[in-house]
Amino acid sequence: MSMLRKVLGVAVLAGAVMLTTDGAASAADGPTGAPTAADTAAIGQVTGGAATLGRLATTKFPGSRAAAAAAQQAADPGTQVPVYEPTAAFVAGKSDVPAALAYVAVPARTGDGTAATVWAERQGAAWTVVNVASGDYERQYAQAAAGGYLLHEPQVNAWYAVHGDVVTVLDGSVTGLAAGTKVSLRDYRTALHGRYADKLPGSAYDREGAGGGYGGRERAVPAADPGDGPALPIALGGVLVLMAGAAVVPRLRRR
């Protein structure tokens, strides 16, 4: 059983969500990097621009099937989903800020009508489209988050909704945690620390260049519809990427 599952399982069996904040992350410490109104406008321009539409027109995902009705590639800049990820400082206990913005997801359609998601990242003062991924999972998870911010733990491909000091599992993926499981932000950090503290930047694990370390640029994202059972590990470029015994499952995408 993984450290994450052990630690969070204790909270589940106890039947309570601890909301103590002494020396722990609290609701006052929200994520950093939330898009401003200016950011939202810039994201809308870049994801709805001619370059992005052209990219969608030529994007085809392996195994995808064209929609029954005639479709035209398009992004929906009016729907923007900020996706946050835990920071190394939070995992190490050096900061009570739980997460930082990783990217903003915009639902889209490819030229053959396949559901897709455009990823926009802040690079310096500008926003850039860095990926077109299959499916619209971020939008679905954001709906399930019901007003909380969307937190993605890429090393184990788990998704959470955070409301104040409460972390709710949306998709535990290979952690085995059921959707709807609730734990305190404090307990969630304890689990993260137990899982990744020895794999943070500067650690021996990091210096040795071991695969699947903490904070890698490549993110793990869903390969199956939300609600499906845990996905099986697959090989990416002939290399099976493992992280502390947990499979990291990549989503089909084009860079």
Side-chain angles (χ1 to χ4, degrees):
M1 182 180 292
S2 69
M3 177 64 71
L4 179 63
R5 189 171 180 180
K6 285 181 180 177
V7 175
L8 297 188
V10 170
V12 175
L13 292 174
V17 175
M18 296 179 60
L19 298 179
T20 55
T21 59
D22 49 318
S26 70
D29 297 307
T32 62
T36 64
D39 289 329
T40 298
I43 293 167
Q45 289 183 341
V46 70
T47 58
T52 301
L53 294 181
R55 186 169 178 175
L56 288 168
T58 59
T59 295
K60 292 186 181 298
F61 300 111
S64 64
R65 299 175 183 175
Q72 182 176 358
Q73 71 279 1
D76 178 18
T79 302
Q80 299 183 13
V81 180
V83 177
Y84 299 88
E85 293 177 359
T87 66
F90 180 71
V91 174
K94 297 179 180 179
S95 172
D96 285 340
V97 177
L101 183 70
Y103 63 98
V104 174
V106 175
R109 292 277 175 183
T110 62
D112 62 7
T114 302
T117 299
V118 176
W119 293 4
E121 283 189 0
R122 185 190 285 119
Q123 296 185 351
W127 284 89
T128 302
V129 171
V130 296
N131 192 26
V132 174
S134 62
D136 63 348
Y137 307 108
E138 289 87 347
R139 178 188 63 78
Q140 295 180 54
Y141 285 128
Q143 289 179 342
Y149 68 83
L150 191 61
L151 182 67
H152 182 215
E153 188 183 336
Q155 291 78 12
V156 292
N157 191 29
W159 294 82
Y160 309 88
V162 183
H163 298 79
D165 291 316
V166 179
V167 179
T168 303
V169 177
L170 299 177
D171 182 355
S173 189
V174 297
T175 68
L177 294 173
T181 300
K182 296 180 183 294
V183 298
S184 69
L185 192 58
R186 178 182 184 178
D187 286 345
Y188 178 62
R189 176 157 71 177
T190 299
L192 288 176
H193 187 271
R195 192 173 186 89
Y196 305 123
D198 62 346
K199 300 174 180 66
L200 294 173
S203 66
Y205 186 93
D206 177 45
R207 291 194 300 272
E208 291 169 1
Y214 189 88
R217 179 62 184 81
E218 285 298 313
R219 301 191 181 91
V221 283
D225 289 334
D228 287 352
L232 295 175
I234 66 174
L236 176 62
V239 178
L240 187 62
V241 184
L242 299 177
M243 168 59 189
V248 176
V249 183
R251 173 166 152 195
L252 299 175
R253 57 195 170 187
R254 287 172 59 98
R255 284 267 175 205

